[in-house]
Amino acid sequence: MVKVLLWGTLRSAADGQAEVEVEAGTFKELLDELASRYPGLEPQIRRGVSLALDGKIYREAWFTEIGPDSEVVLMPYMTGG
Amino acid sequence: MALDAYQKREFKQVGTRPNRPDGVDKVTGRAMYGADATAPGMLHAKILRSPHAHARIVSIDTSAAEALAGVKAIVTAADFGVPEDDFLRDVQDHCMARGKVLYDGHAVAAVAATTIAAAKAALKLIKVEYETLPHVTDVDAAMKPGAPVVQAGRAYENVPAGMSENVTHHCEFGHGDLDAGFAKADRVVERHFKTAATHQGYIEPNACLASVTSDGKAELWVCTQGQYFYRTLCAALLGMEASQLRVTASEIGGGFGGKTMIYMEPVALALSKKAGRPVKLVLTRDEVFRATGPTVSSSMDVKIGMTKDGRITAAQARLCYSGGAFPNTTVDMGAQAAFAAYDLDAVQTLGWNVMTNRPKESAYRAPGAPLSIYAVESVVDELCQHFGLDPLAVRLLNAADKGTKSSYGPTFDQIGLKATLEAAQAHPHYTAPLGPNQGRGLSCGFWFNFGGNTCVSLNVNTDGTVGVTEGNPDIGGSRASISLMAAEELGIPYEKIRTIVADTSSLGYNDVTDGSRVTFAVGLATIKAARDAIRKMCSRAAKIWGIDEEAVEWVDGAAVPAGPNAGKFPPMTLAEIAAVSAETGGPIAGHYEVNADGAGVSFGVHLCDIEVDPETGATKVLRYTVFQDAGKAVHPSYVEGQMQGGAVQGIGWALNEEYIYGTDGRLQNAGFLDYRIPVASDLPMIDTVILEIPNPGHPYGVRGVGETGIVPPLAAIANAVSRAVGVRMTELPMSPPKLLKALEAKG
Amino acid sequence: MKTIHVSTTINGDPAEFICTPDETLLDVLRNRLGLTGAKEGCGTGDCGACSVTVNGRLVCSCLVLGAEAQDADISTIEGMADGDTLHPLQRAFIEHAALQCGICTPGILVAAKALLEKNPDPTDEELRYWLAGNLCRCTGYDKIIRAVQAAAAEMRGA
Ligand code: FES
Ligand code: FES
C-alpha cells in the first residue's frame, strides 16, 4: 500500500481525506486506482496531474515505480513559460 | 542510482564562454525570423478584429470584400469545425471568434490578398453586425454576483456552488492548523494586493508563412517556442494528419512563454488552403497586445503571523487570478509557489480562476508565481519592518531546506535556498549605504522547472566533426550550450560541433521550449546521445583491434584499450574512427529519446536599491543584484543573460507595465509608447551571482534557469519603494501617478 | 495608387526601386529590396528594431517614406561588416553575449555605430540615453552596454 497526499481541493472527492492509501506499484496503477476508488477525482486526473515522488516531480511517466515507503504527493499538471 | 544521475567531474568545456553558433548571422542581419521568409506566389493576410469587448456576432457579410480585386480568400469561424475537446475548442475560438466576440481585438474574419494594401482594404469592406453585451475586465468585478457572464457553463467540478459563473476553477493547498499558528504569533498582518495584466513584450511580432497544397500537404514557417506543439494544434484544428504538416521554427525574436500557444497560425493555413497559394501573416504590434499573450491579472489577500523574534507561525493566501475569456489553471502554480521558500507548520493557499473579457492568457516566465510571491514577500517585509528585524536574517530563519515539507506537499530534497540567501547576506550590496529617498528591498523567488519530451540525434561526420539535431527553438543561446555539452561528453573541441534545430519532420516530438527545460532536458538527451555514439565508436575500435567491445573505453575524445589485458593499441580518436566508418559498418550516429523528469526546483534571491523622486513619483533603480542557483552554468554568459533579462522584465512589471482598459472594455495602451517596457536609460547594470549546487537529476548537475529570475523583482522593488516612501505599496505597477497619490495621502 | 521611382544609394551601392507614396522605407527595404536585416517591432517609431541611417542620421525606417530615399545615402545592418570582416561592434556583441534572441540586435548595432561616430568615448549614461529608443526584451541591456563600451575602446585604440 502507498500513501498518497491529495491537495486540498481533491479532498472532498475522497471522503474528506487528505491522505488516501491505495495498492499501486507504479504511477499508472496509482492513477487508475485513484480514479476507480474515487470517481470524483476523475475530472482532475483527466485534466492532468503531476506526481511528486520523494520530492521529485514527474509529469507523465506511467511506469515510474513507487516503493511502499515512498512519499507520494499528487499535484496539478505543471506547465511553464 | 539512475544512469542519468549527477556525477561529480572536472569539466573541460562546460562552464566556458565560447561564441554562439548563430552569432554572425544575427549581427549581420542574415538570421531569418518569422516575418523574413517569402514563397513564390505568396499572398498577404490581415485579420479583422472586434472593436467590442463583448458582443454577439449577428452576421458577417464578406461579399463586398470578396469582390475586391486582389482578394483571394476570406475565412471566418464558419470555415472551421467545432472541436469536441474543450481545450482545442478554446484554442480555436481564441484564433477566430465563433458566435460571440469575447474581448477587444478578438478575430472575426481574415483576408488573403495579393498585397497588404488590398488585404487591408478588404477588411474595411467586411460587414459585421454585432449585438453588444455587457462586459467585465476586472477580476474582482467579474466575481461579483450578477457580473456579466463571459462564457456560461465553463466551471470545473471543483468550484464551490454559489459563485459567479465566471469562476471556472478553484484550488487549495497546504497543511497544518492555521488557527493555532496565528494564535502563537506576536503580530498578524493581512494585506490586499492587486496586479494588472502584463505582456511578455517580445520584440518580434507573431508571424508565419503557411503553404497548403491541393494534395493535402502543408508547410508552416513560424516563430514559435515549440514547432511540434504548433503542429499538433494546427493539424487537429484543420483536420490534417501530423505527417502531412511540416512545421519549421524560424529564428525566434523572443517568446518568454508567449509563443507557446497558437494565435493565428490555423487562420493562415486555412487561408492558404482556400486560396491555393502560400499565405504570409504578420501581426502588428497593436494586434500583439490586443490578441496574444498577456499574463493573468490578480487580486490577492495574504495573511502572515510572526513572533517577535521573526519566526513565521502561520501563513495564508487567497488568490484570484484572471486569464481572460477562457478557463485556465495558472492559479494552481501561483498557489503552490506562494510559500515555497518557507518552512511552515501551518500554511494554506486558496486560488480561483475568473474569466474576464480580455484575451486568453498565455504563459510568461514562471506563470502564476511572480504575483503570489510578490504578495507574500511584501507581507514578510512589513513584518520585518514592524519588529525591526533584518529581512535576510528572517528569511534565513524560516527558509525551506532539505527535509522541509513544502507548502505544496512534497518534502524538499537538496535545494539551494539557504546558500543563496547566505550569498546575498555576504555580498557588499547588502550593507552599502543608502541616501535620502532611497530604499533597499529583497525578495526570494521560486520555480518548479520541468523536463519533458525530448529527442536528440547526433551524427558523426566522416571528417571528424559532429552534427547535433535537436527540436527546441533557441531562444537565448541554447545551441551554444547544447554544443558545449556534446563537446564535453565526446571530448572534442566545441568548434567541431554544429547544433541545429530540426523541423517537425526531421526528428521526433519535442515539448515546447518552456519550463526552463532546454538546457536541462535537451542537454541531458544530448549527453546520452553522445554516450550512445561513443558506445558505437568503441565497438568499431574493438573490431579494428580484434578485441572485446567491453575492453574499450572512451578517454579524451578517443577509444583506448581498457586496462593491460585488452592489448596494446594506440588510442583511436573520434576523427580516426569516423574516417573509416564506411569500412567498419557504416555511418555512426547516436540518439536518445526521453520524457525527462527530475528537473529540480530553483530558488533565487534579488536585492535592489531604488530612489523615488518625491516631486514626480518616478522610481529609479540604482543597484540590482541577482543571486540564483544554476546547478551548473553550462555557458555562464547565457545563464547571466537569463537572470538579467528576467530581472528587468520583473522591474517593468513592478514599475510600469500594465494593460489599461477603458470603461468601454477596450485596451487603451496597445503599443510600446503607452505600454512602457524598461529601456536602457531606466536601468543600472544587473549584477549576477551564480551559485552552483548540482541538480542530482542531471549528469552535469544542470538546473533550469530561465524562469526563476522574473519572480523576485516584483516584491524586491515593492519592498524597496515601500521602505523609501514610508508607505506600504500594495498595487502593481507602482507607476508615478500611483506613487504620487500614496505620497500625498501620507502627507 | 501611382508608384514612384526612386534612385538611391544603399550600403555604398546604387539602388533603384519603385514604391507607393505611402510605403515606408522599412517596407521598401524588407519587401522590395530583400534587405530583411532591419526588423519591424512596432511600425510606430517606438522600438528601434528598424534603425538605419539616412545621410548619416539615425532614423526609424518605419517612420521614413521610401520616396524620401531619393538621392540619399542609406546604411543598413547588411552593410556594417566589411566583406567577411565584422565591424568591432558586431564582434563585441558576439563575444560579450550581448544578444539572446537577436531581433533587436541589427537596430542596436546601427544605433550604436551612429553614436560612436559622433562620440567615440561615451559614458555609460550617454550610451544608455542614446539607446533608449532601442528596445531589448531579452538582455536587460547589461551586456549590450558592456559590448558597446568594449567595441568603443577597441575602436579608439585602433
Ligand atoms: S519598427 Fe520602427 S521603431 Fe519599431
Ligand atoms: S536580444 Fe531579444 S530583444 Fe534583444
Side-chain angles (χ1 to χ4, degrees):
Chain A
M1 290 294 249
V2 288
K3 287 199 198 94
V4 187
L5 188 69
L6 304 176
W7 77 88
T9 340
L10 297 186
R11 290 173 197 163
S12 61
D15 313 326
Q17 302 172 85
E19 200 166 51
V20 296
E21 283 203 44
V22 290
E23 194 69 62
T26 65
F27 189 4
K28 174 80 164 87
E29 287 168 15
L30 184 133
L31 291 183
D32 290 348
E33 186 63 21
L34 281 177
S36 78
R37 284 257 302 276
Y38 305 103
L41 293 179
E42 208 264 341
Q44 178 64 45
I45 291 177
R46 207 166 3 96
R47 277 198 296 277
V49 287
S50 310
L51 180 81
L53 188 62
D54 296 323
K56 195 167 154 181
I57 301 171
Y58 295 83
R59 286 208 287 188
E60 281 103 2
W62 279 359
F63 310 125
T64 305
E65 280 179 34
I66 303 172
D69 300 322
S70 303
E71 179 200 67
V72 183
V73 183
L74 215 56
M75 294 169 64
Y77 189 77
M78 301 256 139
T79 52
Chain B
M1 174 162 275
L3 252 175
D4 50 4
Y6 171 70
Q7 282 168 319
K8 204 171 156 53
R9 63 191 285 160
E10 287 292 318
F11 291 105
K12 295 203 170 81
Q13 302 192 66
V14 161
T16 63
R17 301 176 186 238
N19 291 343
R20 62 195 279 166
D22 51 329
V24 175
D25 277 348
K26 285 187 172 161
V27 300
T28 55
R30 266 183 259 191
M32 298 276 287
Y33 293 84
D36 296 340
T38 53
M42 179 179 92
L43 302 172
H44 297 272
K46 282 277 162 196
I47 294 178
L48 184 68
R49 295 183 180 279
S50 164
H52 304 294
H54 195 191
R56 203 167 68 76
I57 301 172
V58 178
S59 63
I60 305 176
D61 179 1
T62 57
S63 53
E66 272 159 42
L68 188 73
V71 171
K72 300 293 174 191
I74 297 182
V75 299
T76 67
D79 292 273
F80 294 90
V82 183
E84 240 167 72
D85 179 78
D86 282 351
F87 171 74
L88 269 179
R89 198 173 56 246
D90 284 349
V91 169
Q92 181 180 299
D93 287 351
H94 184 39
C95 292
M96 191 58 78
R98 192 171 45 87
K100 262 198 347 176
V101 289
L102 299 172
Y103 54 91
D104 164 47
H106 202 166
V108 290
V111 176
T114 48
T115 64
I116 296 173
K120 278 188 193 162
L123 292 189
K124 295 211 177 90
L125 297 175
I126 299 176
K127 288 190 212 71
V128 186
E129 195 189 323
Y130 294 103
E131 176 195 323
T132 56
L133 299 167
H135 63 266
V136 60
T137 55
D138 176 75
V139 52
D140 292 321
M143 284 183 90
K144 292 220 172 84
V149 175
V150 178
Q151 292 194 57
R154 296 306 306 273
Y156 293 156
E157 77 292 343
N158 55 31
V159 176
M163 299 196 84
S164 153
E165 265 199 277
N166 291 321
V167 179
T168 61
H169 177 60
H170 170 57
C171 63
E172 180 192 334
F173 301 91
H175 58 256
D177 184 342
L178 282 181
D179 292 338
F182 283 122
K184 276 188 251 164
D186 292 313
R187 186 177 176 82
V188 175
V189 167
E190 183 169 7
R191 286 278 187 189
H192 179 69
F193 297 87
K194 210 153 173 177
T195 69
T198 58
H199 195 275
Q200 295 83 355
Y202 39 78
I203 306 298
E204 180 200 28
N206 305 72
C208 69
L209 173 56
S211 176
V212 183
T213 47
S214 54
D215 57 358
K217 297 195 170 40
E219 300 275 337
L220 181 67
W221 161 271
V222 58
C223 60
T224 171
Q225 286 175 250
Q227 62 272 45
Y228 296 90
F229 188 52
Y230 274 36
R231 179 185 67 178
T232 303
L233 296 177
C234 289
L237 297 184
L238 283 129
M240 298 185 67
E241 288 173 354
S243 61
Q244 301 308 317
L245 172 58
R246 181 167 74 142
V247 184
T248 306
S250 69
E251 290 296 333
I252 177 171
F256 318 110
K259 290 175 184 167
T260 58
M261 181 42 71
I262 58 171
Y263 304 100
M264 74 318 174
E265 293 76 7
V267 174
L269 285 162
L271 284 168
S272 172
K273 189 172 175 190
K274 211 164 175 179
R277 287 166 67 167
V279 170
K280 181 162 164 176
L281 178 46
V282 181
L283 297 191
T284 62
R285 178 56 53 184
D286 174 85
E287 291 179 287
V288 170
F289 276 113
R290 286 166 74 208
T292 77
T295 63
V296 292
S297 67
S298 73
S299 172
M300 307 177 284
D301 294 284
V302 168
K303 181 176 169 187
I304 298 178
M306 193 182 270
T307 62
K308 58 183 183 307
D309 49 4
R311 184 70 198 149
I312 298 176
T313 58
Q316 186 187 34
R318 303 165 65 87
L319 314 171
C320 302
Y321 284 11
S322 177
F326 299 88
N328 74 77
T329 56
T330 300
V331 73
D332 281 347
M333 318 272 225
Q336 291 176 91
F339 294 104
Y342 296 98
D343 180 3
L344 302 171
D345 290 335
V347 56
Q348 183 190 48
T349 46
L350 302 166
W352 291 268
N353 177 67
V354 188
M355 289 187 294
T356 50
N357 291 111
R358 302 199 319 242
K360 185 174 186 291
E361 174 241 12
S362 283
Y364 181 24
R365 274 191 153 131
L371 308 175
S372 59
I373 289 179
Y374 148 69
V376 167
E377 291 292 284
S378 294
V379 174
V380 171
D381 194 59
E382 186 172 344
L383 283 160
C384 293
Q385 265 184 310
H386 172 79
F387 289 120
L389 296 169
D390 176 279
L392 257 178
V394 167
R395 279 163 177 96
L396 267 168
L397 180 67
N398 294 285
D401 206 352
K402 186 177 171 137
T404 297
K405 181 179 172 58
S406 67
S407 56
Y408 57 92
T411 304
F412 281 128
D413 191 1
Q414 194 76 33
I415 54 171
L417 175 60
K418 278 201 167 148
T420 313
L421 285 162
E422 279 157 8
Q425 203 170 35
H427 196 277
H429 182 168
Y430 194 56
T431 45
L434 287 170
N437 300 319
Q438 297 183 355
R440 174 165 301 140
L442 76 93
S443 171
C444 298
F446 164 84
W447 186 243
F448 302 95
N449 293 336
F450 317 126
N453 292 293
T454 309
C455 301
V456 166
S457 86
L458 183 151
N459 290 299
V460 179
N461 304 319
T462 50
D463 65 352
T465 62
V466 168
V468 177
T469 308
E470 50 121 339
N472 278 95
D474 179 350
I475 243 179
S478 59
R479 274 167 292 196
S481 305
I482 303 303
S483 295
L484 269 172
M485 286 186 265
E488 183 77 43
E489 197 63 32
L490 293 169
I492 62 172
Y494 169 82
E495 293 72 27
K496 297 256 182 245
I497 295 178
R498 177 140 188 210
T499 299
I500 63 134
V501 178
D503 62 61
T504 54
S505 297
S506 311
L507 195 67
Y509 191 88
N510 284 270
D511 280 335
V512 295
T513 297
D514 80 346
S516 305
R517 67 175 224 94
V518 173
T519 312
F520 168 76
V522 182
L524 180 132
T526 301
I527 292 165
K528 305 281 254 172
R531 288 181 185 170
D532 186 35
I534 285 170
R535 254 190 314 277
K536 290 170 184 164
M537 290 188 284
C538 287
S539 127
R540 300 290 172 94
K543 276 192 194 143
I544 292 169
W545 292 330
I547 64 174
D548 234 26
E549 234 176 273
E550 282 71 55
V552 180
E553 53 181 21
W554 193 257
V555 181
D556 288 337
V560 293
N565 298 335
K568 275 224 170 314
F569 302 99
M572 258 194 108
T573 64
L574 180 145
E576 287 164 346
I577 296 169
V580 295
S581 58
E583 291 79 359
T584 59
I588 299 168
H591 64 103
Y592 194 70
E593 296 81 25
V594 67
N595 187 355
D597 287 304
V601 299
S602 151
F603 286 93
V605 175
H606 290 198
L607 261 185
C608 77
D609 298 352
I610 58 89
E611 182 172 324
V612 176
D613 181 339
E615 304 289 310
T616 63
T619 300
K620 177 110 187 128
V621 180
L622 304 171
R623 185 170 182 182
Y624 205 101
T625 312
V626 177
F627 304 84
Q628 194 180 317
D629 173 15
K632 173 72 202 169
V634 176
H635 191 307
S637 295
Y638 293 110
V639 172
E640 292 160 5
Q642 287 296 314
M643 295 178 184
Q644 292 164 335
V648 167
Q649 287 181 321
I651 291 171
W653 202 333
L655 291 176
N656 281 305
E657 296 181 32
E658 63 181 314
Y659 267 43
I660 302 172
Y661 282 92
T663 49
D664 58 359
R666 302 197 62 188
L667 182 61
Q668 296 189 324
N669 59 336
F672 279 138
L673 190 61
D674 301 314
Y675 182 98
R676 198 174 175 289
I677 73 171
V679 302
S681 54
D682 294 339
L683 297 162
M685 291 297 184
I686 308 294
D687 293 327
T688 55
V689 176
I690 302 175
L691 286 91
E692 293 190 325
I693 298 151
N695 171 15
H698 186 280
Y700 292 175
V702 169
R703 270 175 219 278
V705 295
E707 291 178 284
T708 306
I710 203 171
V711 180
L714 282 60
I717 302 267
N719 292 340
V721 168
S722 299
R723 283 170 182 258
V725 300
V727 186
R728 183 51 54 178
M729 299 301 296
T730 56
E731 230 182 83
L732 296 186
M734 297 172 290
S735 50
K738 274 193 213 144
L739 262 180
L740 265 189
K741 223 159 102 196
L743 281 168
E744 273 159 22
K746 179 190 151 207
Chain C
M1 219 177 296
K2 229 170 111 92
T3 53
I4 300 168
H5 176 263
V6 178
S7 304
T8 186
T9 303
I10 300 182
N11 298 326
D13 296 320
E16 297 195 38
F17 58 84
I18 51 165
C19 65
T20 57
D22 62 350
E23 206 168 327
T24 66
L25 176 59
L26 177 61
D27 283 339
V28 167
L29 291 170
R30 291 181 53 84
N31 302 339
R32 296 197 185 260
L33 301 174
L35 295 171
T36 55
K39 305 298 178 193
E40 178 166 330
C42 66
T44 51
D46 301 316
C47 78
C50 63
S51 299
V52 303
T53 59
V54 176
N55 299 325
R57 204 166 70 89
L58 181 65
V59 298
C60 293
S61 61
C62 70
L63 296 183
V64 175
L65 291 173
E68 292 178 74
Q70 178 67 37
D71 298 327
D73 193 356
I74 294 167
S75 296
T76 73
I77 186 65
E78 286 90 348
M80 189 178 276
D82 180 7
D84 63 358
T85 308
L86 294 181
H87 187 278
L89 276 165
Q90 293 173 307
R91 217 168 354 92
F93 266 57
I94 297 175
E95 283 164 8
H96 289 79
L99 54 140
Q100 283 176 34
C101 80
I103 195 87
C104 66
T105 309
I108 291 186
L109 285 169
V110 168
K113 180 166 174 268
L115 171 65
L116 297 186
E117 274 160 14
K118 301 206 310 192
N119 177 0
D121 192 8
T123 63
D124 279 2
E125 191 167 5
E126 285 168 333
L127 179 52
R128 283 181 181 275
Y129 276 93
W130 179 266
L131 291 181
N134 289 86
L135 301 180
C136 173
R137 189 59 156 173
C138 300
T139 64
Y141 305 101
D142 184 297
K143 292 185 191 304
I144 291 174
I145 302 301
R146 290 177 205 276
V148 175
Q149 291 294 26
E154 181 190 326
M155 287 161 71
R156 286 193 304 273

